Amino acid sequence: IRSVPALLGESDVLKAVQLLPGVRGGQEGTAGLYVRGGSPDQTLLLLDGTPVYNASHLFGFLSTFNGDAVNHVELTKGAIPARYGGRLASVLDVRLRGGDMQQRRVQGQVGLLTSRLLVEGPIVKDKASFLVSGRRTYIDVIAAPVLKALNDKAEANGDGRFSPRAYFNDLNAKANWRVTDRDRLYLSLYGGED
């Protein structure tokens, strides 16, 4: 996913999945999945086993899945198990990384569209770990001078002011506890705003 050429430098899970056989993206730049002729609402999107109903940001240009935090992506296009509840087209199961149990790591990236930061490390070495990943766009900050100039001109002409806000942010967090060699317990959190 990280090696696929990306829109404005953003690695995107849904864009990478659209390159698979039998999968087609929607209109140019949008994040919808059309799997074997099914519509996007016929695909179940899961993040650590929890349904995600609106999986895109920025009017459909980017997905809500932060590529830095993703560990595993599985697309089921046929013979969908009954536990997924009767979806007709497919199931996309996205799993987050559990965090590094050995050492703390911090990585970040400043791109043309967004900035990202990921922090991970052990809570108890070899027993429990955490991962926190955040992403925010700054289109609203870049556009602020342009909007101010437009509003100043509108006020001078006696027209009304407008204040559109176009930005998004994501927060992924996961705590992972290795109870035994065969059992793990994890708590996963996603928060986002458009």
Side-chain angles (χ1 to χ4, degrees), residues 174-194:
K174 189 169 187 176
N176 189 20
W177 176 33
R178 185 180 298 159
V179 180
T180 67
D181 287 340
R182 295 179 54 184
D183 301 311
R184 288 184 183 237
L185 183 65
Y186 69 87
L187 175 66
S188 185
L189 169 81
Y190 170 77
E193 182 181 14
D194 269 296

Side-chain angles (χ1 to χ4, degrees), residues 4 10 21 59 61 153 169 193:
V4 173
E10 276 296 308
F59 313 110
F61 283 98
K153 186 176 180 180
N169 59 42
E193 182 181 14

Side-chain angles (χ1 to χ4, degrees), residues 55-189:
S56 65
H57 284 304
L58 202 60
F59 313 110
F61 283 98
L62 294 172
S63 73
T64 57
F65 306 116
N66 188 346
D68 294 339
V70 171
N71 180 45
H72 179 77
V73 177
E74 183 176 339
L75 177 66
T76 305
K77 297 188 284 187
I80 299 170
R83 71 177 178 265
Y84 293 124
R87 292 299 173 133
L88 298 175
S90 64
V91 176
L92 181 67
D93 190 7
V94 178
R95 298 290 173 159
L96 296 179
R97 293 176 26 205
D100 193 329
M101 291 207 181
Q102 300 299 318
Q103 63 183 0
R104 289 190 192 261
R105 294 183 194 179
V106 177
Q107 72 182 46
Q109 181 178 354
V110 176
L112 294 173
L113 190 59
T114 66
S115 291
R116 301 188 305 258
L117 182 66
L118 181 133
V119 179
E120 64 180 327
I123 297 171
V124 176
K125 200 168 190 173
D126 294 326
K127 197 75 169 160
S129 64
F130 73 95
L131 177 133
V132 178
S133 175
R135 174 174 68 163
R136 190 196 195 287
T137 186
Y138 33 81
I139 294 172
D140 56 332
V141 176
I142 294 170
V146 174
L147 292 175
K148 182 181 180 329
L150 290 173
N151 280 328
D152 290 347
K153 186 176 180 180
E155 279 183 3
N157 293 338
D159 297 331
R161 294 179 58 88
F162 64 98
S163 58
R165 296 183 336 165
Y167 77 96
F168 70 86
N169 59 42
D170 287 321
L171 176 70
N172 290 315
K174 189 169 187 176
N176 189 20
W177 176 33
R178 185 180 298 159
V179 180
T180 67
D181 287 340
R182 295 179 54 184
D183 301 311
R184 288 184 183 237
L185 183 65
Y186 69 87
L187 175 66
S188 185
L189 169 81

Side-chain angles (χ1 to χ4, degrees), residues 7-20:
L7 174 70
L8 298 174
E10 276 296 308
S11 61
D12 195 330
V13 172
L14 293 182
K15 296 290 185 246
V17 169
Q18 288 175 3
L19 300 173
L20 295 173

